[in-house]
Amino acid sequence: MGTKTVDETGADTGAEARNDDEAVNITKEDAAKEDAATEAEGQTPADDSEEAAESDEEFPPATAKATPGVGQGAVGIVSVVLGLVSLTGGWVGSVASAREEITGQLEMQAATNATVSTQLQAVYGDAWQASALWGGLFALVGLIVGVAVLVRPAFGDPDQVQTPWIKSVAWAGVSVGFIGLVLAALKYSDLILSLPKT
């Protein structure tokens, strides 16, 4: 008896092939629908990538703010040094004081009827005031330099951030300069360490 056998492998293969073809057709149809939708909106996938690139160029990623160089820190240290010179005295003040003392001695040698108070003022008082004057000048310059460092960011690049140590040094220069200026004014006006009374 002749029986007809079915090639199961061939039948299954044909069914799977039909299913794969249908899946490919559905995928192609979906892609075509998406392309048609984007074209209807006047945009293509390539346009999306171009717009994303343009937006990245317009708005670059945030970067760390640039910090100023060592210039401001160096100027702040200079202000502190000037303030210290005003307090301790410098060679300029010493020379000026010695010059006034010599000048006073020469004046007293030429004078015949000078009182003791006049002699003290000519020899020592003027020298003392010259030293105080130069100390006050150093203090004033140190104070101005310190203030200039503190206000520098307001006139520079707004993106630059002044580091805290520069502010600290500048404030120290301002403080020492102010103290030196006050002491110089008090010395010059004989409010402290005045000449002895005669």
Side-chain angles (χ1 to χ4, degrees):
M1 291 179 54
T3 58
K4 185 178 180 182
T5 59
V6 177
D7 187 0
E8 295 177 358
T9 306
D12 292 342
T13 303
E16 288 177 359
R18 283 194 300 274
N19 289 338
D20 291 341
D21 291 340
E22 290 175 0
V24 169
N25 289 336
I26 291 172
T27 307
K28 288 181 179 177
E29 289 176 1
D30 292 340
K33 288 178 183 177
E34 290 178 1
D35 290 343
T38 54
E39 287 177 2
E41 294 175 358
Q43 253 182 347
T44 60
D47 294 338
D48 291 338
S49 61
E50 289 176 2
E51 286 185 0
E54 289 177 1
S55 63
D56 290 342
E57 291 176 0
E58 292 176 0
F59 302 101
T63 57
K65 293 183 178 179
T67 56
V70 298
Q72 294 183 25
V75 175
I77 293 172
V78 168
S79 71
V80 175
V81 172
L82 290 172
L84 291 176
V85 169
S86 72
L87 293 176
T88 60
W91 67 270
V92 177
S94 300
V95 169
S97 177
R99 185 178 184 279
E100 288 295 329
E101 187 175 345
I102 292 171
T103 304
Q105 289 175 357
L106 293 174
E107 290 176 355
M108 289 305 100
Q109 287 178 358
T112 55
N113 296 324
T115 62
V116 176
S117 60
T118 303
Q119 293 176 4
L120 283 175
Q121 180 62 36
V123 177
Y124 300 106
D126 292 343
W128 182 251
Q129 289 178 341
S131 177
L133 179 63
W134 279 101
L137 288 176
F138 275 103
L140 181 61
V141 173
L143 180 63
I144 292 173
V145 170
V147 171
V149 172
L150 290 175
V151 301
R152 173 66 178 86
F155 300 100
D157 187 0
D159 292 334
Q160 285 188 339
V161 177
Q162 196 174 50
T163 55
W165 73 270
I166 293 177
K167 290 183 179 179
S168 299
V169 171
W171 274 113
V174 170
S175 302
V176 176
F178 178 77
I179 293 171
L181 191 61
V182 171
L183 289 178
L186 293 175
K187 287 189 293 183
Y188 190 84
S189 59
D190 288 336
L191 292 177
I192 57 171
L193 301 175
S194 59
L195 292 173
K197 302 297 181 182
T198 56

Coordinates of all heavy atoms in Angstrom, one line a residue, residues 149-150 153 162-172:
V149 N 42.8 95.8 45.6 CA 42.7 94.3 45.3 C 41.3 93.8 45.6 O 40.8 93.0 44.9 CB 43.8 93.6 46.2 CG1 43.6 92.1 46.1 CG2 45.2 94.0 45.8
L150 N 40.7 94.4 46.7 CA 39.4 93.9 47.1 C 38.3 94.3 46.0 O 37.4 93.6 45.8 CB 39.0 94.5 48.4 CG 39.7 93.9 49.6 CD1 39.4 94.6 50.9 CD2 39.5 92.4 49.8
P153 N 37.7 92.7 41.4 CA 36.8 91.8 40.6 C 35.6 92.6 40.1 O 35.0 92.2 39.1 CB 36.3 90.8 41.7 CG 37.4 90.7 42.6 CD 38.0 92.1 42.7
Q162 N 37.5 85.6 42.7 CA 38.7 85.8 43.5 C 38.8 84.8 44.6 O 37.9 84.6 45.4 CB 38.6 87.2 44.1 CG 39.9 87.8 44.6 CD 39.8 89.2 45.1 OE1 38.9 89.6 45.8 NE2 40.6 90.1 44.6
T163 N 40.0 84.2 44.7 CA 40.1 83.1 45.7 C 40.1 83.7 47.1 O 40.5 84.8 47.3 CB 41.5 82.4 45.4 OG1 42.5 83.3 45.4 CG2 41.4 81.6 44.0
P164 N 39.7 82.9 48.0 CA 39.6 83.4 49.4 C 40.9 83.9 50.0 O 40.9 84.8 50.8 CB 39.0 82.2 50.2 CG 38.4 81.3 49.2 CD 39.1 81.5 47.9
W165 N 42.0 83.2 49.7 CA 43.3 83.6 50.3 C 43.7 85.0 49.8 O 44.3 85.8 50.6 CB 44.4 82.6 50.0 CG 44.9 82.6 48.6 CD1 44.5 81.9 47.6 CD2 46.0 83.4 48.1 NE1 45.2 82.1 46.5 CE2 46.2 83.0 46.8 CE3 46.9 84.3 48.7 CZ2 47.2 83.6 46.0 CZ3 47.9 84.9 47.9 CH2 48.0 84.5 46.5
I166 N 43.3 85.4 48.6 CA 43.6 86.7 48.1 C 42.8 87.8 48.9 O 43.3 88.8 49.3 CB 43.4 86.8 46.6 CG1 44.3 86.0 45.8 CG2 43.5 88.3 46.1 CD1 44.1 86.0 44.3
K167 N 41.6 87.5 49.1 CA 40.7 88.4 49.9 C 41.3 88.5 51.4 O 41.3 89.6 51.9 CB 39.3 87.9 50.0 CG 38.6 88.0 48.7 CD 37.1 87.5 48.8 CE 36.4 87.6 47.5 NZ 35.0 87.1 47.6
S168 N 41.7 87.4 51.9 CA 42.2 87.4 53.3 C 43.5 88.3 53.4 O 43.6 89.1 54.3 CB 42.6 86.0 53.8 OG 41.4 85.2 53.8
V169 N 44.4 88.1 52.4 CA 45.6 88.9 52.4 C 45.3 90.4 52.2 O 45.9 91.3 52.9 CB 46.6 88.4 51.4 CG1 47.8 89.3 51.2 CG2 47.1 87.0 51.7
A170 N 44.4 90.7 51.3 CA 44.0 92.1 51.0 C 43.4 92.7 52.3 O 43.7 93.9 52.6 CB 43.1 92.2 49.8
W171 N 42.5 92.0 52.9 CA 41.9 92.5 54.2 C 43.0 92.8 55.2 O 42.9 93.7 56.0 CB 40.8 91.6 54.7 CG 39.5 91.9 54.0 CD1 38.8 91.1 53.2 CD2 38.7 93.1 54.2 NE1 37.6 91.7 52.8 CE2 37.5 92.9 53.4 CE3 38.9 94.3 54.9 CZ2 36.5 93.9 53.3 CZ3 37.9 95.2 54.8 CH2 36.7 95.0 54.0
A172 N 44.0 91.9 55.3 CA 45.0 92.1 56.3 C 45.8 93.3 55.9 O 46.2 94.1 56.8 CB 46.0 90.9 56.2

